[in-house]
Structures are given as structure tokens and as C-alpha cells.
Amino acid sequence: MDALTGLPCRKEAFAQLELAVNVVRAAGKRMVVALVDLDKFYRLNETKGTEFGNHVLLMMGQRLAEARKAATTVSRVGGNRFMVAMPVEHDECQSMQAVEAIKNAIERPIEIDGGELYLTSSIGATLYPKDGRTSEQLICRAESALYQSKEQGGNRARFYNLEDTNKLNRRIAIEAALRPALYLQQFHLSYQPIYRMEDGKLKGFEALLRWQHPELGDISPTEFIPIAEHSGLIVPIGEWVLRESCKTLANMSKYGLNSLNMSINISSLQLQDSTFSQTVLHVLKEYELAPSSFELEITESGMLHTSTTAISTLSRLRAAGVRIILDDFGTGFSSLTNLNQLPIHCLKIDKSFIRNIDLQSADRIIVEGIINLVHKLGLEVIAKGVEYKEQYELLGEWGCNYVQGFLLGKPQEPDVLDISMIRRSEYTAKKMTKGEL
């Protein structure tokens, strides 16, 4: 038994669950198995002390036992994790109601010093025999459901489904494949041109990271970048992107392309490294590139605003001449109220807003308003995802500084960089700027 709560501990709980599975199998019934995790419980220990934390754990165990008197087993299977198993009827609603009752029991207020303290919980639940026919299967799949609940921010209950397991298995495979990917040279960069709207001339390129895995195939950056950030691998990958893009920019002169900018996307985790600014400036010097020819694209995040290291790093790079661009504006954490807090030169409007500006839509009003306001703040604007002439013309009317999109150029590999295509696109941009197309 668990010495603190008096409930069955992990080993005994699993044995009781195996017995419970045999009982409901013989009776032809169904059973819910739920793993209950107290969200951010470490904060309670930090602020109120471990003695009070132990008191809360004891209370939670008692509440769970009282909430489901019909429960086959209530046990403590980890530091702040409990397992509840209970038979349910064949009515689907009863399974959800049972889990809801567990969550409500955990989250009732806790009296402390004349006030009330509230905790939240994340729950992963499975249903016998739908999700598994053995105790091991039920526990493993409840763990998977709990993981998904935590990944979505916690404070929620999820029932297991096969799609989540497939996603988790793919995530594990991608994380394992990420580690040797640099050594095996599986990454490569594509380069998409960016044009000035003032005269239609080529401004530069954005370097886009691509990953071709021999077994998993093409893996999208939106899928593998968050995994790389979570594992810390984004730092060496980011340095590789920095060096490769600098090398490509330095080689552009052989095509007669001079005075261009190169943009790369960086993670907020890279900015946590106090040596990051030194690394960037060292690599630029190594390839004999002016800092003003290089641009770092950042995506606004909660970490960016709460980290003094990140803001200091960006400020040092800006002071050295490197241009800073706020990418994907209009999505995630991005906010007009935060623009004056970041040391940026330019703002890039997300393509989801550009998509419908040639129609009578709210996006049309929003994009025009953003451009006008951002210019008043002394910043430049890039519109990405421009695919139609009508979008280009509207952006020109509104004074957008730069455009990027399939209308003028798709991402290209450096070894097949079609300079004639870029020149044709530049010619087309000039014509549209002058209203001749």
C-alpha cells in the first residue's frame, strides 16, 4: 500500500486491474480505466511546501474513492498520478459521465488559510473492451490519451483513440530520425525569391528548411521543427541552416546577383543561447557578408516576451546591422500591442490573411489596416503567399514594401537555381508595379 494515501501503490494497482479485467470479462460488462494527473503539481510544492503537498495528495485520494464508490480500484501510481478503474453500463454517455465525475472531484476547491485553492487535472481514459482486452493494453493506451491531454495544454480529459497512437508513434519515429539526420546529410535548403514592390526588383531570398527521409519520406517543417525544439536538436540544426544559407548568399555573385538579402527562420530556443549573436556574426564574417545582408525571421511566442536573454540577443544583432523580421504576423501570439517591444525592422503578414484579400472579405480590411499602422510605426511589411495578380495590385495600392509567393517564384534548390526564371519574375513584377500587365 502507498504509505501516504493508504491506497494501493503501482505494483498492487496493476495486479488489481488485471483481476478487475477478468471480472468484467466474465460478467460481459464494460470498464473505464482512467489515469489522473494533477497539473503543475510541482508549483504547489514550491509555493506551499511538501507537507501541504502531501496533505493535498491524501485529500485527492480520498475524493477519488468517494466520487466513485462503485470503482473497482482507486490507486496512486506515481508522484501526483492516480488510477481509477470502474465498471460502466453499455451506454456511451455513462463512460463520459464517470470521467467527468472524477475530474470534478479533483477540482473542487481546497481550503487554505481562510481562502480557497484550485487545482486542475489532465485525464487519459480507456474503455474495456473497446480500447484493449488486457490490463497492459488498457494502461498503455490510457498513458497515450493522457499524453495527448498534456500536449494540448492540460486541464482536459481525453479518451484513447487509434489516431492519437499513430501520431505518437510517428512523433517518436521522427525524433529518433532527427538525431542522425544532420550527419547523414538528409536536410537541404530551398530558396524562395522576395521582390520589392517599389520597383519590382529582386530583394533577396528566404531559405526554407526541407527534410527528405529515406523511409518516412518528405517531412514538413511544421511537423519536425516542434519536435526538434522539444528535444533541443533545433540548436545544431539551426546553426547548419545559418552556415548553408550564408554559403549560398556568398555564391550568388557568380550569377550576377549582388546586394541581396538572405532570410532564415530561427527558433525562440536559439535566442535563449547567450552566444547565439556571436555565432551569427562570426559566420557572416567567415563568408565575408555584411550583417545588413542577412535577416533573421522570428515567430512571436510567449517565451520571446518573457526572456530577457532573447530580447538582448535580438537587440545585439540589430545593433550590429542584422535585420530582424517578425514572421507569421496575425497568428499565434502575435499582437499589434507587442510590436514596439521587439527590436524588429520588418513584419511579415501570414499567408492565411493574404489568401482572400482579392475578395470582399474581412481579411482585406485587416491587411490594409495592418500595413497602414505598421508603416506609422516606422516598420516595413512583407506579404507572403501572393498567388494572384489582383492580390499583388492591391498590396501595391496599400504600400506594401515586399512580396513573396508563387505568383513570382516558387522555392528552388540551390543546385538548380533558375536565374532566368528569377529575372523573368523580376520583369513581371516591374511590369505589374508600373500597371503595364
Side-chain angles (χ1 to χ4, degrees):
M1 301 294 284
D2 176 51
L4 175 63
T5 63
L7 297 173
C9 59
R10 186 180 184 88
K11 184 177 180 180
E12 186 179 355
F14 288 179
Q16 288 187 5
L17 181 60
E18 182 68 28
L19 179 62
V21 168
N22 292 331
V23 171
V24 294
R25 181 188 296 121
K29 293 184 177 181
R30 301 200 311 169
M31 181 172 66
V32 167
V33 178
L35 289 176
V36 185
D37 193 276
L38 304 180
D39 293 330
K40 298 182 176 64
F41 189 74
Y42 66 91
R43 291 183 178 176
L44 185 67
N45 283 330
E46 287 179 356
T47 57
K48 304 297 181 182
T50 55
E51 184 177 349
F52 182 76
N54 289 339
H55 168 69
V56 170
L57 289 173
L58 175 61
M59 184 186 302
M60 294 301 108
Q62 293 171 345
R63 286 185 181 183
L64 289 174
E66 293 169 0
R68 297 302 300 180
K69 294 187 181 298
T72 303
T73 179
V74 176
S75 52
R76 184 185 177 203
V77 294
N80 55 290
R81 184 171 297 182
F82 298 85
M83 183 181 74
V84 181
M86 68 195 79
V88 292
E89 301 298 330
H90 287 275
D91 181 10
E92 192 75 27
C93 290
Q94 193 184 51
S95 302
M96 292 185 284
Q97 289 170 356
V99 173
E100 186 178 348
I102 294 171
K103 200 170 192 310
N104 290 340
I106 289 289
E107 297 177 5
R108 294 204 310 267
I110 301 168
E111 293 185 6
I112 176 173
D113 299 331
E116 292 183 339
L117 175 70
Y118 292 86
L119 296 179
T120 62
S121 63
S122 300
I123 300 177
T126 50
L127 187 62
Y128 171 89
K130 174 176 172 286
D131 299 325
R133 293 181 175 272
T134 67
S135 58
E136 183 177 0
Q137 288 176 339
L138 291 168
I139 285 292
C140 289
R141 290 167 184 176
E143 287 274 8
S144 176
L146 179 59
Y147 172 82
Q148 294 297 330
S149 177
K150 288 287 191 181
E151 280 287 287
Q152 293 176 357
N155 191 22
R156 66 191 66 218
R158 280 188 65 103
F159 274 85
Y160 167 83
N161 66 67
L162 183 59
E163 183 181 353
D164 286 341
T165 298
N166 291 337
K167 287 180 180 177
L168 180 59
N169 288 337
R170 179 171 172 82
R171 180 188 176 94
I172 292 171
I174 289 174
E175 184 169 358
L178 264 173
R179 298 186 181 278
L182 268 179
Y183 172 77
L184 297 174
Q185 299 181 341
Q186 293 174 351
F187 292 116
H188 65 279
L189 297 178
S190 294
Y191 298 90
Q192 186 171 29
I194 303 172
Y195 292 90
R196 287 198 297 265
M197 295 216 67
E198 181 182 10
D199 54 14
K201 290 185 177 180
L202 181 67
K203 170 188 178 289
F205 297 88
E206 179 184 359
L208 302 169
L209 181 60
R210 299 290 182 258
W211 184 16
Q212 173 68 41
H213 189 271
E215 296 175 0
L216 299 173
D218 285 322
I219 306 176
S220 168
T222 58
E223 186 175 20
F224 73 79
I225 291 296
I227 298 175
E229 290 179 328
H230 181 76
S231 63
L233 294 170
I234 193 64
V235 174
I237 292 173
E239 185 169 344
W240 178 85
V241 171
L242 172 65
R243 290 187 173 277
E244 284 295 303
S245 56
C246 282
K247 181 169 68 175
T248 300
L249 183 59
N251 290 335
M252 285 289 178
S253 58
K254 69 182 181 181
Y255 299 112
L257 299 174
N258 300 305
S259 303
L260 296 179
N261 293 105
M262 179 66 74
S263 298
I264 65 169
N265 294 275
I266 60 171
S267 166
S268 56
L269 289 180
Q270 292 173 267
L271 297 175
Q272 301 304 306
D273 184 355
S274 58
T275 65
F276 178 72
S277 58
Q278 297 173 0
T279 300
V280 172
L281 296 176
H282 173 76
V283 174
L284 288 172
K285 185 177 180 180
E286 181 182 334
Y287 286 96
E288 300 180 346
L289 296 172
S292 59
S293 68
F294 210 73
E295 300 178 333
L296 300 179
E297 298 194 13
I298 59 173
T299 300
E300 198 167 3
S301 65
M303 181 187 294
L304 187 62
H305 288 285
T306 57
S307 170
T308 55
T309 302
I311 298 298
S312 297
T313 298
L314 289 174
S315 298
R316 284 195 297 270
L317 287 167
R318 178 184 168 115
V322 176
R323 287 172 53 84
I324 311 297
I325 297 176
L326 182 61
D327 194 14
D328 294 334
F329 186 80
T331 63
F333 287 84
S334 59
S335 168
L336 286 169
T337 59
N338 294 327
L339 287 182
N340 61 346
Q341 301 174 15
L342 297 173
I344 61 175
H345 296 85
C346 185
L347 178 149
K348 183 178 282 191
I349 302 176
D350 188 71
K351 62 184 178 182
S352 61
F353 287 92
I354 303 300
R355 187 179 300 127
N356 295 319
I357 62 170
D358 52 326
L359 306 174
Q360 292 297 330
S361 63
D363 289 342
R364 181 175 183 146
I365 299 171
I366 291 170
V367 171
E368 183 180 10
I370 289 174
I371 293 173
N372 289 333
L373 180 57
V374 168
H375 281 164
K376 290 180 180 179
L377 293 174
L379 303 175
E380 296 179 319
V381 182
I382 301 175
K384 68 177 182 180
V386 179
E387 298 183 2
Y388 303 106
K389 175 186 173 184
E390 292 79 8
Q391 295 170 343
Y392 184 95
E393 291 173 342
L394 280 171
L395 291 166
E397 290 178 15
W398 298 336
C400 185
N401 302 96
Y402 311 105
V403 291
Q404 174 183 0
F406 286 4
L407 175 67
L408 296 173
K410 297 182 179 181
Q412 292 191 33
E413 308 301 314
D415 55 343
V416 293
L417 200 59
D418 189 343
I419 300 304
S420 63
M421 182 278 292
I422 292 173
R423 290 304 189 196
R424 286 196 302 271
S425 296
E426 190 173 65
Y427 175 79
T428 301
K430 290 178 181 179
K431 289 289 187 180
M432 285 193 292
T433 299
K434 295 177 180 179
E436 297 176 2
L437 286 180

